[in-house]
């Protein structure tokens, strides 16, 4: 067995429309959306009576996808929407951008705040963390070197 590619990263959210708008603002494209339910999904995820709304978004290059999910049933468990970057588990998603200042300005116009600041890593990158809806941490990275 050999892994062929990463298929997607799933993110469970309470406000699906806000999450979709956030990732579209970042430049991802909506690839599809709709309800998912039935015995087959119950068996796959190991839950009973699953009813979930899904929005699949993808990066412009076609290589990265996020599956945004709002569980109608069973009710999603509440996590810590303010967990810091050193909390165990999947903590952030990183995206390469061509202009970090423009990306940050566009997000700030939508009320998104930086976690820290925009910083330079050697002569290679400018980086920052922003916290999106549901407490999702996104790292933006602009290659400069």
């Amino acid at each position: 067995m050999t892994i062929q590619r990463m298929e997607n990263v799933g993110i469970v959210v309470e406000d699906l429309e806000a999450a979709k708008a956030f990732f579209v603002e970042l430049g991802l494209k909506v690839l599809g959306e709709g309800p998912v339910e039935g015995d087959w999904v119950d068996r796959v995820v190991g839950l009973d009576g699953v009813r979930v709304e899904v929005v699949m978004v993808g990066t412009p290059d076609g290589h990265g996808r996020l599956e945004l999910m709002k569980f109608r049933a069973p009710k999603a468990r509440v996590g810590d929407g303010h967990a810091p970057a050193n909390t165990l588990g999947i903590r952030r998603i990183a995206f390469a951008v061509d202009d970090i200042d423009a990306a940050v300005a566009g997000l700030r116009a939508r009320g998104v705040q930086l976690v820290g600041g925009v910083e330079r890593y050697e002569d290679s990158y400018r980086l920052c963390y922003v916290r999106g809806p549901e407490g999702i941490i996104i790292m933006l990275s602009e290659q400069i070197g």
Side-chain angles (χ1 to χ4, degrees), residues 29-109:
K29 307 290 184 213
V30 174
L31 303 175
E33 54 189 300
V36 177
E37 60 184 86
D39 292 339
W40 71 272
V41 72
D42 291 3
R43 290 189 302 271
V44 169
V45 301
L47 297 169
D48 292 324
V50 173
R51 289 184 304 112
V52 63
E53 295 292 324
V54 174
V55 175
M56 188 71 73
V57 293
T59 57
D61 68 0
H63 294 288
R65 293 188 289 187
L66 300 177
E67 183 177 3
L68 307 173
M69 299 169 278
K70 177 177 177 54
F71 276 78
R72 303 280 182 207
K75 183 84 173 130
R77 294 182 180 183
V78 176
D80 181 356
H82 300 287
N86 65 340
T87 303
L88 294 176
I90 297 174
R91 198 51 39 220
R92 67 152 173 83
I93 303 168
F95 293 105
V97 297
D98 59 0
D99 184 341
I100 199 166
D101 295 319
V104 168
L107 290 170
R108 279 189 169 156

Side-chain angles (χ1 to χ4, degrees), residues 3 24 29 48 56 62 64 71 92 94 96 114-115 123 128 133-134 140:
I3 291 176
V24 167
K29 307 290 184 213
D48 292 324
M56 188 71 73
F71 276 78
R92 67 152 173 83
L114 289 169
V115 172
D123 289 330
C128 71
E134 316 286 336
L140 301 177

